[in-house]
């Protein structure tokens, strides 16, 4: 057995410290994961500032309704697939046109088929954005966030299904926010997808039904334009807005559904209070 080294003898040399490249590599890999989300945000902002939303104006859609109907009549399922892909694309780049798209789908395919293609496309696009956000930014942001955000994320995950349902039912939150917030908070993909599918269904059927009765909207549009001209308005072509579809009764209905979705959360909190 070898004798232990004396105190004055040098011990074994320590392992060489990792170089700057080795230390920086994990951080670089973390930030590289954020690049897909950064690219998606840049694309969204570029499209918005480029004025793409003008192609989704009510006037333009109504003026093209005869051509659109003829296009659907030539090949229903081809048109159905194109509408699905176009809707998915608008959700991925977070264009604020979901109400217009759902109304258009209802006009083209009827209230049931229009609602179904809207629900499936919106859910698909939401899942794609959610996956990008969770893979790219969720871990990085939570790791750099404070304890308050960490506690918020923990509470969100505890009642994830109800919270996502509320975000979908209440027409006050931007769609991109309701896609990225659950991803950052670590919600499971299956929970997010199911809550999204159920949460957007009531509004989808309402908007698609409104689109199926688009001739009534056209009549309201014409009346609004005539009233605007009589009043001496300068933007009479834009006299019809989505307020003709998003009525106070519709908002009240969705708010009521949102309250119902929160009841399980309130019940669990009440049961968990100390007596």
């Amino acid at each position: 057995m070898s004798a232990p080294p004396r105190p004055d003898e040098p011990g074994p040399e320590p392992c060489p410290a990792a170089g700057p490249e080795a230390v920086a590599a994990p951080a670089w890999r973390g930030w590289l994961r954020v690049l897909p989300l950064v690219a998606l945000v840049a694309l969204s902002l570029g499209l918005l500032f480029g004025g793409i939303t003008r192609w989704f104006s009510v006037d333009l859609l109504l003026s093209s309704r005869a051509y659109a109907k003829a296009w659907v009549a030539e090949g229903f399922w081809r048109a159905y697939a194109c509408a699905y892909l176009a809707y998915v694309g608008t959700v991925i780049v977070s264009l604020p046109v979901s109400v217009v798209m759902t109304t258009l789908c209802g006009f083209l395919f009827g209230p049931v088929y229009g609602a179904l293609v809207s629900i499936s496309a919106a859910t698909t696009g939401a899942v794609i954005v959610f996956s990008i956000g969770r893979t790219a930014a969720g871990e990085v942001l939570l790791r750099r966030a404070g304890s308050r955000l960490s506690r918020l994320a923990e509470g969100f995950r505890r009642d994830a299904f109800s919270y996502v349902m509320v975000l979908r039912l209440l027409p006050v939150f931007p769609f991109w926010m309701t896609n990225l917030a659950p991803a950052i908070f670590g919600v499971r993909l299956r929970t997010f997808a199911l809550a999204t599918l159920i949460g957007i269904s009531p509004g989808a059927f309402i908007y698609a039904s409104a689109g199926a009765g688009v001739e009534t909207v056209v009549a309201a549009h014409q009346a609004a334009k005539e009233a605007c001209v009589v009043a001496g308005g300068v933007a009479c072509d834009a006299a019809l807005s989505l307020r003709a579809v998003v009525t106070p009764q519709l908002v009240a209905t969705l708010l009521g559904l949102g309250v119902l979705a929160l009841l399980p959360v309130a019940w669990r909190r009440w049961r968990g209070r100390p007596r």
Side-chain angles (χ1 to χ4, degrees):
M1 177 180 298
S2 59
R6 295 196 307 270
D8 56 340
E9 288 182 355
E13 293 186 2
C15 296
E21 296 81 1
V23 174
W28 276 110
R29 283 199 297 269
W31 285 112
L32 284 175
R33 294 172 59 185
V34 184
L35 285 181
L37 183 61
V38 173
L40 184 60
V41 172
L43 176 61
S44 302
L45 293 176
L47 291 173
L48 287 173
F49 285 112
I52 192 174
T53 53
R54 69 176 181 270
W55 294 102
F56 297 89
S57 68
V58 177
D59 278 295
L60 180 61
L61 296 177
L62 293 179
S63 64
S64 306
R65 65 186 187 279
Y67 168 78
K69 277 288 189 182
W71 179 61
V72 173
E74 292 175 0
F76 180 88
W77 294 111
R78 178 198 59 190
Y80 206 71
C82 290
Y84 170 83
L85 294 175
Y87 202 134
V88 171
T90 62
V91 174
I92 291 176
V93 297
S94 300
L95 296 181
V97 295
S98 58
V99 173
V100 177
M101 289 295 294
T102 305
T103 305
L104 176 61
C105 289
F107 166 68
L108 292 177
F109 310 113
V112 176
Y113 281 105
L116 291 178
V117 70
S118 300
I119 293 168
S120 58
T123 303
T124 302
V127 166
I128 292 174
V129 176
F130 174 88
S131 301
I132 293 174
R134 186 175 65 170
T135 302
E139 182 182 345
V140 174
L141 292 178
L142 280 181
R143 190 166 58 244
R144 287 164 172 76
S147 58
R148 181 174 300 179
L149 183 58
S150 298
R151 289 196 299 269
L152 178 62
E154 182 181 353
F156 198 101
R157 286 192 297 268
R158 189 182 306 118
D159 297 297
F161 187 87
S162 295
Y163 282 137
V164 175
M165 279 277 292
V166 171
L167 291 175
R168 294 308 187 191
L169 286 169
L170 298 183
V172 295
F173 299 102
F175 209 62
W176 64 267
M177 181 185 298
T178 59
N179 292 334
L180 289 178
I184 294 173
F185 290 158
V187 175
R188 289 185 177 182
L189 176 60
R190 181 173 58 185
T191 301
F192 172 81
L194 182 59
T196 297
L197 179 69
I198 297 175
I200 65 177
S201 295
F205 277 99
I206 293 172
Y207 297 136
S209 298
V214 75
E215 295 305 325
T216 303
V217 179
V218 173
H221 188 204
Q222 294 300 325
K225 290 179 68 173
E226 292 172 4
C228 179
V229 171
V230 171
V234 295
C236 296
D237 286 339
L240 179 66
S241 69
L242 288 177
R243 292 179 182 176
V245 177
V246 185
T247 62
Q249 292 81 4
L250 169 59
V251 174
T253 300
L254 296 179
L255 285 173
L257 291 172
V259 172
L260 288 176
L262 276 177
L263 286 180
V265 179
W267 173 253
R268 281 195 290 270
R269 297 288 172 83
W270 182 80
R271 289 282 303 272
R273 287 189 312 174
R275 296 291 190 264

